[in-house]
């Protein structure tokens, strides 16, 4: 049965109404299909995970590359895809809006917009500009049914000011964000405070160093959990260990830890 983009978007919105779900991050079509095969109900792209597959560092890919990647993921699976759309690949709200329109046309069910500048001396956009960027994204999404995620990147850039994070996330919610996200939160107290502040809007947790399980995150009121580039790093870990062993020792024992080829063929058959 063919699942339409509209179906995926409707399903994704429904998933944000209650409970807590894991939103794992594939890096390509194969890993996206594998995650669907394992029973996940939705997936999200990873800016870092994708960048590494084309030999680039995170935040060094073009909007063209990313939109092609998102279109490939969205057409490869029958489950919703949420786009890690970084900062919208522009600064000015109108240019962010243009890129968001392109992203929506790829068939994604949701997309996130970050407020980081990439400049360690001034890591976040001024609050007013950051809000305008969310407002422009909301307008660009229009009535497509695509979910908008507003991200405050403060903690990832060393700005560990919870009041600032909450102020920004609530402002992004008022500007039209359907879901809020502040990667880098670690303590249960901080996570709980943000969840309560943005309610009834859903909150996305980057599981990271929090050490929480799915159930523990749900108990705190988290609606969805992302793992960012962690699955990609896990895959690279196995690849680099085996490759380094061959290069440095001339032995091949790490190759024995690989996932069985027969199982992969069955999954993709």
């Amino acid at each position: 049965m063919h699942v339409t983009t509209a179906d995926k978007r409707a399903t994704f919105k429904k998933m944000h109404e209650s409970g807590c779900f894991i939103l794992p991050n594939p890096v390509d079509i194969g890993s996206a299909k594998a995650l669907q095969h394992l029973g996940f109900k939705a997936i999200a792209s990873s800016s870092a995970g994708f960048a590494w597959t084309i030999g680039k560092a995170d935040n060094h890919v073009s909007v063209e590359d990313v939109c092609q990647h998102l279109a490939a993921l969205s057409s490869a699976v029958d489950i919703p895809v949420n786009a890690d759309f970084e900062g919208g690949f522009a600064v000015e709200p109108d240019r962010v809006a243009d890129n968001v329109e392109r992203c929506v046309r790829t068939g994604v069910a949701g997309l996130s917009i970050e407020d980081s500048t990439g400049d360690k001396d001034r890591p976040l956009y001024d609050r007013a500009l950051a809000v305008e960027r969310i407002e422009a994204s909301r307008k660009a999404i229009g009535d497509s049914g695509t979910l908008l995620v507003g991200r405050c990147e403060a903690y990832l850039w060393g700005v560990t000011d919870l009041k600032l994070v909450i102020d920004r996330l609530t402002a992004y919610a008022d500007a039209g964000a359907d879901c809020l996200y502040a990667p880098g939160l670690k303590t249960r107290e901080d996570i709980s405070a943000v969840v309560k502040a943005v309610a009834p809007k859903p909150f996305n947790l980057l599981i990271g160093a929090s050490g929480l399980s799915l159930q523990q995150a749900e108990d705190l009121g988290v609606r969805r959990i992302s793992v960012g580039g962690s699955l990609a790093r896990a895959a690279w870990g196995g690849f680099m260990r085996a490759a380094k062993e061959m290069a440095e020792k001339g032995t091949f024992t790490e190759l024995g830890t690989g996932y069985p080829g027969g199982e992969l063929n069955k999954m993709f058959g």
Side-chain angles (χ1 to χ4, degrees):
M1 182 184 74
H2 176 64
V3 181
T4 67
T5 297
D7 291 337
K8 294 177 186 177
R9 289 172 177 169
T11 295
F12 200 45
K13 282 209 167 180
K14 188 75 175 174
M15 291 173 68
H16 286 75
E17 293 177 2
S18 62
C20 184
F21 62 95
I22 300 173
L23 192 63
N25 304 79
V27 300
D28 55 17
I29 289 174
S31 52
K33 287 187 172 183
L35 291 169
Q36 176 176 275
H37 176 79
L38 289 171
F40 289 101
K41 303 303 182 186
I43 55 176
S45 69
S46 161
S47 63
F50 168 61
W52 299 330
T53 68
I54 59 172
K56 295 186 178 182
D58 192 15
N59 303 122
H60 285 75
V61 297
S62 69
V63 67
E64 288 80 12
D65 285 339
V66 169
C67 284
Q68 288 178 11
H69 171 61
L70 293 171
L73 292 184
S74 297
S75 62
V77 295
D78 294 327
I79 56 178
V81 175
N82 190 96
D84 177 350
F85 207 55
E86 303 184 33
F89 300 89
V91 175
E92 301 83 0
D94 59 338
R95 292 187 59 214
V96 171
D98 289 341
N99 290 336
V100 166
E101 285 185 9
R102 292 180 65 178
C103 183
V104 169
R105 289 197 295 271
T106 68
V108 296
L111 64 94
S112 59
I113 295 293
E114 303 169 7
D115 60 4
S116 57
T117 64
D119 179 357
K120 67 179 186 302
D121 295 323
R122 295 184 68 252
L124 303 179
Y125 289 116
D126 291 339
R127 183 184 185 279
L129 176 58
V131 170
E132 286 179 31
R133 287 159 47 85
I134 295 294
E135 290 173 339
S137 300
R138 175 79 272 159
K139 187 174 181 180
I141 285 171
D143 60 359
S144 67
T146 308
L147 188 124
L148 175 61
V149 183
R151 288 178 53 151
C152 179
E153 304 292 287
Y155 271 54
L156 291 188
W157 286 86
V159 184
T160 53
D161 182 341
L162 192 64
K163 287 185 179 179
L164 178 148
V165 169
I166 288 174
D167 173 67
R168 285 190 172 233
L169 291 184
T170 53
Y172 300 162
D174 291 341
D178 301 297
C179 179
L180 291 311
Y181 187 7
L185 299 182
K186 296 178 181 178
T187 70
R188 294 179 186 228
E189 293 75 19
D190 286 354
I191 295 166
S192 180
V194 173
V195 166
K196 290 174 182 174
V198 303
K201 295 284 181 78
F203 178 71
N204 182 105
L205 175 67
L206 178 66
I207 203 67
S210 71
L212 298 176
S213 67
L214 171 64
Q215 186 59 58
Q216 289 168 332
E218 182 171 6
D219 290 344
L220 292 177
V222 170
R223 187 56 44 82
R224 66 185 214 183
I225 294 171
S226 297
V227 299
S230 295
L231 278 175
R233 289 195 300 275
W236 277 104
F239 179 92
M240 293 301 290
R241 281 191 298 273
K244 281 185 175 183
E245 182 195 3
M246 290 189 290
E248 296 169 4
K249 300 179 181 179
T251 56
F252 308 91
T253 57
E254 284 288 343
L255 295 179
T257 65
Y259 201 75
E263 292 299 313
L264 291 171
N265 285 332
K266 271 196 269 184
M267 183 166 62
F268 296 133

